Amino acid sequence: MPVDVLLGLQWGDEGKGKVVDYLAPRYQLIARFQGGPNAGHTLEFNGIKHVLHQIPSGIFHEDIKNVIGNGVVLDPIVFKKEIEGLSKYGLSFRNLYISKKAQLIVPTHRILDLVYEKAMGDKKIGSTLKGIGPCYQDKIGRHGLRIGDLTQADFRQKYSSLIERHKKLLGHFNHEVDFEALNLEFFEAVELLKTFNLVDSEYFINQAIAEGQSILAEGAQGSMLDIDFGSYPYVTSSSTMVAGACTGLGVAPKHIREVFGILKAYSTRVGSGPFLTELNDSIGEYIRTQGHEFGSTTGRPRRTGWLDLPALKYASMISGITQLFLMKVDVLDDLDEIKVCTGYLSNGEVASTPPSETNLSDLEPDYVHFPGWKCSTRQLKSFDALPSALSKYISFIEQNMGVNVHMVSTGPDRLHTLIKDC
Ligand code: GDP
Ligand code: IMO
Ligand code: MG
């Protein structure tokens, strides 16, 4: 069973990019299975920071195959910019493969995202405005375009029909669009995209499985943004849980081995939606500054708060997490006290599962308090060297979640990584 899956367990930005890049040498193939340019995955090594949006985080290991799976929505314009940016580092992309069944984001998807959000007023989702929702709507509505369509003779015709459909939708909004300029930029980017390896990725991946190659499936958005199980409607439009790796790559569940769950030592969220442990005070601001908690895709300040164990247990339950990776512990190094939410108080009662409704005004987090470790973790070289207050914090998380922590991350660089067997 050679397929491992790596998932963020919170609201995104857990450090998925860093970990995939770190683990990549253990695998022959890395595959993205959902999401699109809404993702911002950061990798740091040799003093350089890279932010990837659509390209899998194994791309800096040139002998490893990197696959963009059928569950992804791909924007050719963003793709072109990413390729141009990465080309400066001399990457060849010979091992980058794109599913013919992945959906295409067209420029009007981005505009629809914007006008829909504007129309929602203070109920807006806080979308990244990358066209994700409208593109997945077209996929489910069965009139989307796929990567495989790009090389067909009738592609321009199909494209025009989709744009006409979008023009009708846009007619309901007062929004000026320069379609000619958009089309020009789009088709220029499409020409570049067509030069890449466009494959039947489900066969490609299953062939690799049959050959016994090991595969790491890289989740894009966090579990609490899952279309079914996240804090709906404040979610993204794809399946970010383990099952998404099966449908987003064409991999049968029987091939899944480990399911790695990544979490920060605290919580963050970008965009709207409930966040019960949010800190709107100086500690929240401190965590934001210390952790550089600003969106990798949009630059928006991330909302910050304490760890929310019921939400984490829920995310772990729906995906069957087998190993935990605890990220960004260094951000809490100097705090006197750290809190963890273990339940929610309402009218004197404690609930231990996250509420599914979005009006949470009468819920208060029930916190367990921990003393801080008050020392720098950045230079630590092994689990044994962890300060005892941090070890206790980790044990508490492990006991509550019933899953062990196998990796602790103490900084953004590849080198700032402590690992137990995994
Ligand atoms: P992703 O979307 O899950 O890949 O995460 P992002 O890249 O959006 O956000 C994680 C941020 O934290 C990036 O800026 C990383 O460079 C950074 N990061 C990752 N791990 C650590 C860590 O252990 N400590 C610190 N201080 N930063 C980290
Ligand atoms: P990574 O891969 C954090 C959030 C948006 C918004 C909601 C819907 O870096 O973890 P969308 O553009 O998908 O329609 O937005 O989901 N969101 C993310 N938040 N990290 C991400 O990706 C996100 N991708 C989407 O802020 O609240
Ligand atoms: Mg991110």
Side-chain angles (χ1 to χ4, degrees), residues 77-201:
I77 296 172
V78 178
F79 180 80
K80 182 166 178 275
K81 286 188 187 136
E82 275 196 271
I83 292 294
E84 285 167 356
L86 291 169
S87 298
K88 293 182 194 134
Y89 299 94
L91 297 184
S92 75
F93 307 112
R94 67 189 153 82
N95 265 328
L96 178 60
Y97 299 85
I98 304 167
S99 171
K100 289 185 191 169
K101 292 189 174 65
Q103 293 279 320
L104 266 178
I105 297 181
V106 299
T108 37
H109 283 136
R110 261 184 284 125
I111 297 166
L112 284 167
D113 208 357
L114 179 73
V115 296
Y116 290 158
E117 280 282 83
K118 270 193 180 161
M120 303 265 285
D122 61 1
K123 295 264 186 308
K124 69 174 186 194
I125 305 295
S127 144
T128 59
L129 303 180
K130 300 292 174 190
I132 306 298
C135 186
Y136 277 115
Q137 277 171 23
D138 279 343
K139 172 180 179 174
I140 302 299
R142 295 162 296 181
H143 34 251
L145 293 173
R146 308 203 288 188
I147 297 289
D149 292 321
L150 289 177
T151 50
Q152 302 300 306
D154 61 352
F155 176 66
R156 284 211 176 231
Q157 214 177 315
K158 279 188 173 163
Y159 174 81
S160 299
S161 317
L162 186 62
I163 299 297
E164 283 311 310
R165 181 184 280 274
H166 291 167
K167 275 185 183 166
K168 283 192 194 130
L169 294 171
L170 285 166
H172 298 292
F173 303 89
N174 187 15
H175 193 85
E176 285 285 305
V177 182
D178 181 351
F179 287 101
E180 214 170 299
L182 289 180
N183 290 343
L184 203 70
E185 192 185 18
F186 179 77
F187 279 101
E188 233 179 73
V190 156
E191 284 313 307
L192 177 77
L193 181 54
K194 278 160 64 178
T195 64
F196 281 75
N197 300 312
L198 311 183
V199 295
D200 291 310
S201 58

Side-chain angles (χ1 to χ4, degrees), residues 154-288:
D154 61 352
F155 176 66
R156 284 211 176 231
Q157 214 177 315
K158 279 188 173 163
Y159 174 81
S160 299
S161 317
L162 186 62
I163 299 297
E164 283 311 310
R165 181 184 280 274
H166 291 167
K167 275 185 183 166
K168 283 192 194 130
L169 294 171
L170 285 166
H172 298 292
F173 303 89
N174 187 15
H175 193 85
E176 285 285 305
V177 182
D178 181 351
F179 287 101
E180 214 170 299
L182 289 180
N183 290 343
L184 203 70
E185 192 185 18
F186 179 77
F187 279 101
E188 233 179 73
V190 156
E191 284 313 307
L192 177 77
L193 181 54
K194 278 160 64 178
T195 64
F196 281 75
N197 300 312
L198 311 183
V199 295
D200 291 310
S201 58
E202 61 279 33
Y203 281 112
F204 188 76
I205 292 172
N206 278 286
Q207 180 63 33
I209 292 173
E211 288 168 10
Q213 295 182 26
S214 53
I215 293 167
L216 180 62
E218 173 184 8
Q221 280 65 45
S223 304
M224 299 314 288
L225 294 176
D226 182 85
I227 184 70
D228 289 286
F229 301 106
S231 44
Y232 192 89
Y234 300 101
V235 293
T236 192
S237 301
S238 59
S239 182
T240 62
M241 60 178 298
V242 69
C246 296
T247 57
L249 296 176
V251 163
K254 68 176 180 180
H255 295 305
I256 308 280
R257 184 175 51 184
E258 300 290 339
V259 187
F260 306 130
I262 309 212
L263 63 145
K264 289 183 198 183
Y266 49 93
S267 302
T268 63
R269 173 164 205 167
V270 210
S272 322
F275 185 3
L276 280 159
T277 61
E278 184 166 11
L279 290 166
N280 289 309
D281 60 10
S282 58
I283 306 248
E285 191 54 48
Y286 173 84
I287 292 175
R288 179 160 36 252

Side-chain angles (χ1 to χ4, degrees), residues 299-313:
R300 292 177 291 177
R302 294 175 183 148
R303 300 156 68 193
T304 53
W306 298 121
L307 216 53
D308 184 338
L309 270 181
L312 284 166
K313 281 156 82 170

Side-chain angles (χ1 to χ4, degrees), residues 12-14 16 39-42 296-297 302:
D13 308 320
E14 296 88 350
K16 299 176 287 291
H41 291 187
T42 314
S296 320
T297 299
R302 294 175 183 148

